[in-house]
């Protein structure tokens, strides 16, 4: 079963805790828009509550998220909605004509804005703890500090223009990377705003969390967890609570529950398949 296989692999390869979380939660990405929007366009279609993203692949546009953001998105900028809010987008420069959604290769000489839009779905109920720790909306800017964004943008745009066998699968997979990188970037840039998620980037706490994830069935005590973090028992307990809002014991119980839920889910699938 997948959860048992994960535990074995985590121990063998030394998988870090945040990787194991994302692996267990099984992220799927579905691209629902990948085209150049031309003419005097205006978009406000959305699925409230869905985890989604938009990336400007060509040109620029204005994004309006009432109460949160109103401003320009430029070439390569990425906006993520952990739970989608009502919002609208429109051209960043004056355009005329009827709104059209055209394939990139058909519209290379037509003014417009390239938009890649996708919806993310986690297959594990525990994903709500990740989503709840994030802000309602956040933007990753396309600049020199985010080299990964430039590289993924180039690959996505190349695949979108030069459509070939498996293009849809490749763009979905690249978009999954896009979302994963965006999560990691936000955690790195905002360590004091991500609550429980902050422990994965903490220089001391992360060592204890990695050990817990690799050996979830070990009889962990506060003292043994503190030893992994190279902290005193008291300092570890206080730091864990301050950084995450949880006690170390609460986190240990939570992680074991996520593994148990995955085992039960895999077992149900195992039985349904008649194996």
């Amino acid at each position: 079963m997948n959860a048992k296989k994960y535990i074995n692999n985590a121990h063998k390869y030394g998988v870090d805790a945040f990787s194991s979380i994302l692996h267990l939660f099984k992220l799927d990405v579905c691209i629902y828009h990948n085209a150049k929007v031309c003419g005097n366009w205006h978009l406000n279609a959305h699925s409230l509550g869905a985890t989604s993203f938009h990336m400007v692949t060509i040109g620029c546009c204005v994004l309006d998220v009432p109460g949160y953001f109103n401003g320009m998105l430029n070439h390569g900028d990425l906006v993520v909605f952990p739970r989608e809010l009502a919002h609208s987008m429109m051209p960043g420069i004056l355009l005329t004509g009827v709104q059209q959604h055209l394939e990139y290769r058909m519209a290379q000489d037509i003014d417009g804005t390239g938009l890649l839009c996708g919806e993310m779905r986690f297959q594990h109920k525990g994903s709500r703890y990740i989503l709840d720790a994030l802000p309602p909306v956040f933007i990753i800017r396309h600049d020199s500090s985010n080299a990964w964004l430039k590289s993924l943008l180039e690959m996505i745009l190349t695949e979108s223009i030069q459509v070939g066998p498996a293009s849809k699968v490749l763009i979905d997979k690249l978009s999954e990377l896009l979302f994963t990188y965006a999560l990691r970037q936000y955690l790195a840039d905002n360590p004091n705003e991500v609550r429980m998620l902050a422990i994965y980037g903490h220089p001391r706490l992360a060592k204890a969390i990695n050990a817990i994830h690799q050996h979830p069935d070990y009889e962990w005590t506060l003292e043994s967890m503190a030893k992994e973090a190279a902290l005193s028992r008291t300092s570890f307990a206080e730091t864990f609570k301050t950084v995450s809002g949880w006690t170390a014991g609460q986190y240990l119980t939570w992680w074991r529950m996520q593994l148990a839920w995955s085992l039960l889910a895999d077992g149900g699938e195992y039985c349904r398949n008649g194996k």
Side-chain angles (χ1 to χ4, degrees):
M1 296 181 192
N2 289 339
K4 287 183 179 178
K5 188 181 296 183
Y6 155 70
I7 294 170
N8 292 333
N9 289 342
H11 175 63
K12 181 178 180 181
Y13 297 111
V15 176
D16 71 276
F18 197 55
S19 290
S20 64
I21 289 256
L22 295 177
H23 174 80
L24 194 71
F25 287 0
K26 299 177 184 176
L27 174 66
D28 289 328
V29 175
C30 179
I31 300 302
Y32 60 85
H33 185 280
N34 184 27
K36 194 171 184 179
V37 193
C38 305
N40 185 23
W41 60 274
H42 185 278
L43 302 177
N44 58 12
H46 45 261
S47 301
L48 295 180
T51 303
S52 62
F53 74 90
H54 307 302
M55 182 170 69
V56 180
T57 56
I58 295 175
C60 61
C61 70
V62 174
L63 171 68
D64 180 28
V65 188
Y68 294 97
F69 179 83
N70 182 282
M72 190 74 73
L73 294 180
N74 295 306
H75 170 74
D77 287 348
L78 173 67
V79 56
V80 177
F81 292 93
R83 289 190 172 89
E84 192 165 333
L85 304 168
H87 64 279
S88 61
M89 292 182 289
M90 61 196 72
I93 58 175
L94 180 63
L95 297 174
T96 59
V98 178
Q99 177 172 311
Q100 300 182 79
H101 299 254
L102 303 174
E103 293 182 14
Y104 290 102
R105 57 184 175 180
M106 296 174 56
Q108 293 189 55
D109 298 324
I110 302 175
D111 290 335
T113 303
L115 289 175
L116 176 73
C117 308
E119 184 174 320
M120 283 76 69
R121 302 184 187 94
F122 287 100
Q123 303 305 309
H124 195 292
K125 292 180 180 180
S127 62
R128 69 184 180 88
Y129 289 93
I130 290 180
L131 301 178
D132 287 348
L134 297 169
V137 58
F138 64 91
I139 295 171
I140 306 292
R141 294 292 185 180
H142 180 244
D143 57 39
S144 58
S145 65
N146 301 321
W148 57 268
L149 186 52
K150 178 181 179 181
S151 298
L152 286 173
L153 172 62
E154 289 176 353
M155 287 189 285
I156 288 170
L157 193 53
T158 297
E159 195 61 42
S160 299
I161 294 173
Q162 301 173 1
V163 179
S167 284
K168 175 65 167 62
V169 173
L170 286 169
I171 291 174
D172 283 352
K173 292 298 183 182
L174 289 169
S175 297
E176 184 178 328
L177 285 173
L178 194 70
F179 180 70
T180 305
Y181 267 110
L183 282 180
R184 189 174 74 171
Q185 187 72 52
Y186 189 82
L187 266 59
D189 292 344
N190 304 274
N192 298 321
E193 299 177 17
V194 289
R195 291 174 282 177
M196 185 266 279
L197 298 184
I199 57 178
Y200 302 116
H202 192 280
R204 293 290 185 89
L205 298 181
K207 294 178 181 179
I209 295 300
N210 290 345
I212 289 170
H213 279 234
Q214 290 179 37
H215 304 280
D217 53 351
Y218 181 75
E219 294 185 8
W220 290 102
T221 63
L222 188 60
E223 185 175 1
S224 60
M225 287 187 280
K227 184 177 180 180
E228 292 288 341
L231 292 170
S232 70
R233 187 175 180 274
T234 300
S235 180
F236 176 75
E238 292 177 349
T239 302
F240 204 104
K241 181 69 173 179
T242 299
V243 171
S244 69
W246 292 22
T247 67
Q250 285 176 318
Y251 183 88
L252 175 61
T253 300
W254 174 80
W255 177 237
R256 286 171 170 169
M257 288 177 64
Q258 306 318 302
L259 291 171
W261 188 91
S262 182
L263 284 169
L264 287 171
D266 287 347
E269 185 64 31
Y270 189 79
C271 292
R272 285 193 294 274
N273 289 336
K275 299 178 181 179

